[in-house]
């Protein structure tokens, strides 16, 4: 399964004298728009957002907002989920190419064939997938509610879990349930080096290792705490520790540092000497593109109504089964 990495072209149609922070605030008022941002966005984007959250928090915000326009600073599946929940609202995404390696690795036709091979299995699918895959699923989950959702399924019900094998393995370990796993992985979370992590732990003996469940199991074995991006942030805030080695996309460190200015956050190093711990899809969005998509009201995420209604059901089941 291959993933084509996106590049990040510069937006060049903006008067350089404009203060983009002020302009975005003005457009928000003018359009009655809300800006929702994931923690993996550039710090500038996080700073203009009305709400910053993990996938579940963002889906909930999208379901509850009274704004007319949702400007989604995240990746395509997140904006698509907002549109599925809000068919009458305009949903803007600064760069339509902001995809996700997990979604790419689970094409709907192959997922449908997988389901047909296992007709007795309930399909619990990670939200990091296309609307077409959601429409073929029974229940959607995110990294913050996957364990709680699987625990609500009767124990004699066989389950298949897609597309992230690492989150799937983590859920199996937490619930003791057997699940058939789709073999997908996140290109960012599979990049961390165990050797370099061990070296960092030696250099920072007091640091807590905190990790997203999309990481490979050998990395998760080193973690003092495993959770979704929101859970990692809350853990860092509540912990007595002064330093943390962070095994997830480095964008979250902006909020961690803001919430805990006296604590130290060390991004876990990737295998290669690259910025591979930044998601190339998330980072396609820039402040410039955010401004342009609001000014021009494009690009917009749209969806066929029949597909939307099919994809809505498993998302609604997720929201009903998610603890607050
Ligand atoms: P969260 O559920 O923590 O938002 O994770 C989403 C994601 O894409 C992680 O790579
Ligand atoms: Fe997808 Fe990984 Fe980027 Fe999250 S970090 S959006 S799972 S590619």
């Amino acid at each position: 399964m291959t993933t084509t990495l996106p590049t990040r072209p510069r937006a060049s149609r903006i008067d350089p004298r404009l203060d983009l922070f002020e302009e975005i605030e003005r457009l928000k008022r003018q359009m009655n728009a809300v800006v929702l941002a994931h923690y993996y966005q550039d710090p500038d984007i996080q700073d203009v957002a009305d709400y910053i959250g993990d996938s579940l928090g963002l889906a909930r915000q999208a379901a509850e907002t009274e704004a007319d326009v949702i400007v989604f600073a995240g990746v395509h599946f997140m904006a698509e989920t907002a549109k599925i929940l809000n068919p009458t609202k305009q949903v803007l995404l600064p760069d339509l190419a902001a995809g996700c390696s997990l979604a790419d690795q689970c094409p709907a036709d192959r997922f449908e064939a997988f389901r047909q091979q296992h007709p007795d299995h309930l399909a619990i699918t990670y939200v990091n997938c296309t609307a077409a895959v959601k429409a073929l699923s029974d229940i959607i989950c995110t990294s913050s509610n996957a364990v709680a959702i699987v625990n609500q399924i009767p124990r004699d019900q066989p389950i298949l879990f897609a597309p992230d094998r690492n989150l799937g393995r983590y859920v199996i370990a937490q619930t003791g349930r057997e699940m058939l796993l789709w073999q997908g992985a996140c290109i960012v979370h599979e990049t961390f080096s165990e050797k370099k992590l061990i070296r960092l732990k030696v250099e920072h003996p007091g640091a807590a290792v905190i990790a997203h469940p999309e990481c490979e199991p050998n990395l998760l074995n080193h973690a003092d705490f495993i959770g979704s991006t929101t859970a990692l942030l809350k853990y860092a805030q509540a912990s007595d520790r002064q330093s943390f080695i962070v095994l997830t996309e480095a964008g979250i460190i902006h909020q961690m540092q803001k919430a805990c200015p006296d604590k130290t956050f060390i991004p876990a190093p990737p295998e290669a000497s690259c910025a591979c711990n930044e998601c190339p899809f998330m980072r396609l969005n820039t402040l410039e593109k955010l401004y342009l998509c609001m000014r021009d009201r494009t690009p917009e995420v749209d969806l066929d109504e029949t597909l939307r209604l099919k994809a809505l059901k498993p998302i609604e089941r997720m929201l009903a089964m998610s603890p607050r």
Side-chain angles (χ1 to χ4, degrees):
M1 287 183 272
T2 54
T3 299
T4 313
L5 294 186
T7 52
R8 185 173 167 158
R10 283 196 57 77
S12 60
R13 288 167 286 142
I14 302 173
D15 180 342
R17 291 164 302 182
L18 284 182
D19 179 331
L20 293 186
F21 292 94
E22 273 176 21
E23 284 300 305
I24 289 168
E25 290 304 331
R26 183 182 63 76
L27 286 167
K28 277 189 209 172
R29 290 190 296 275
Q30 186 182 308
M31 301 158 71
N32 187 25
V34 67
V35 176
L36 306 182
H38 192 269
Y39 294 113
Y40 297 165
Q41 293 292 280
D42 281 354
D44 280 352
I45 296 182
Q46 295 187 35
D47 289 346
V48 291
D50 299 297
Y51 175 85
I52 312 161
D54 66 4
S55 302
L56 179 62
L58 289 164
R60 280 191 173 131
Q61 287 293 318
E64 290 163 12
T65 185
E66 284 176 7
D68 296 319
V69 180
I70 298 172
V71 185
F72 214 111
V75 288
H76 191 273
F77 77 80
M78 296 178 174
E80 196 171 58
T81 302
K83 186 66 183 180
I84 292 166
L85 289 161
N86 287 287
T88 60
K89 294 186 198 297
Q90 186 176 38
V91 177
L92 299 170
L93 180 64
D95 191 323
L96 277 186
C100 169
S101 60
L102 280 168
D104 288 349
Q105 290 170 17
C106 190
D109 55 341
R110 287 186 41 214
F111 182 66
E112 190 170 21
F114 185 58
R115 283 223 67 178
Q116 280 164 2
Q117 284 159 18
H118 307 286
D120 55 334
H121 282 58
L122 185 86
I124 302 185
T125 309
Y126 192 27
V127 70
N128 297 37
C129 63
T130 60
V133 168
K134 288 185 176 74
L136 293 164
S137 304
D138 295 306
I139 308 171
I140 298 302
C141 70
T142 74
S143 64
S144 60
N145 59 20
V147 169
I149 286 178
V150 169
N151 274 333
Q152 291 172 60
I153 307 301
R155 289 202 80 84
D156 57 354
Q157 170 62 58
I159 299 172
L160 64 83
F161 187 90
D164 185 10
R165 64 164 184 253
N166 289 325
L167 178 62
R169 286 170 183 154
Y170 171 72
V171 172
I172 289 171
Q174 293 299 304
T175 60
R177 294 290 294 263
E178 271 310 311
M179 299 197 299
L180 261 182
L181 299 182
W182 185 271
Q183 292 301 311
C186 160
I187 51 163
V188 179
H189 288 84
E190 66 177 2
T191 196
F192 297 116
S193 152
E194 186 181 11
K195 223 196 247 167
K196 291 184 184 173
L197 174 64
I198 291 169
R199 221 177 290 149
L200 262 190
K201 283 174 69 175
V202 173
E203 283 166 24
H204 304 272
V209 176
I210 58 176
H212 195 280
E214 285 179 17
C215 294
E216 299 278 340
N218 62 325
L219 275 299
L220 291 182
N221 284 342
H222 293 274
D224 296 293
F225 180 75
I226 299 168
S228 78
T229 43
T230 296
L232 297 181
L233 177 60
K234 285 187 180 159
Y235 179 84
Q237 283 175 280
S239 170
D240 294 336
R241 304 274 193 110
Q242 282 308 301
S243 54
F244 302 84
I245 299 171
V246 183
L247 279 154
T248 192
E249 214 271 5
I252 182 84
I253 291 180
H254 182 57
Q255 289 308 315
M256 289 177 169
Q257 208 63 79
K258 269 177 125 172
C260 316
D262 300 329
K263 295 183 179 177
T264 305
F265 297 96
I266 306 149
E271 196 76 60
S273 39
C274 58
C276 318
N277 58 353
E278 289 185 358
C279 173
F281 301 101
M282 287 276 182
R283 304 301 180 120
L284 279 178
N285 295 329
T286 59
L287 194 68
E288 289 82 1
K289 288 187 206 169
L290 181 70
Y291 162 72
L292 285 174
C293 87
M294 293 175 78
R295 187 194 72 182
D296 302 340
R297 290 215 175 205
T298 189
E300 178 173 0
V301 174
D302 227 338
L303 215 56
D304 167 77
E305 183 60 7
T306 310
L307 175 61
R308 186 190 74 79
L309 288 171
K310 281 189 193 154
L312 179 61
K313 278 193 193 135
I315 295 174
E316 285 181 334
R317 281 189 203 114
M318 168 185 83
L319 292 174
M321 292 171 83
S322 298
R324 279 275 177 183

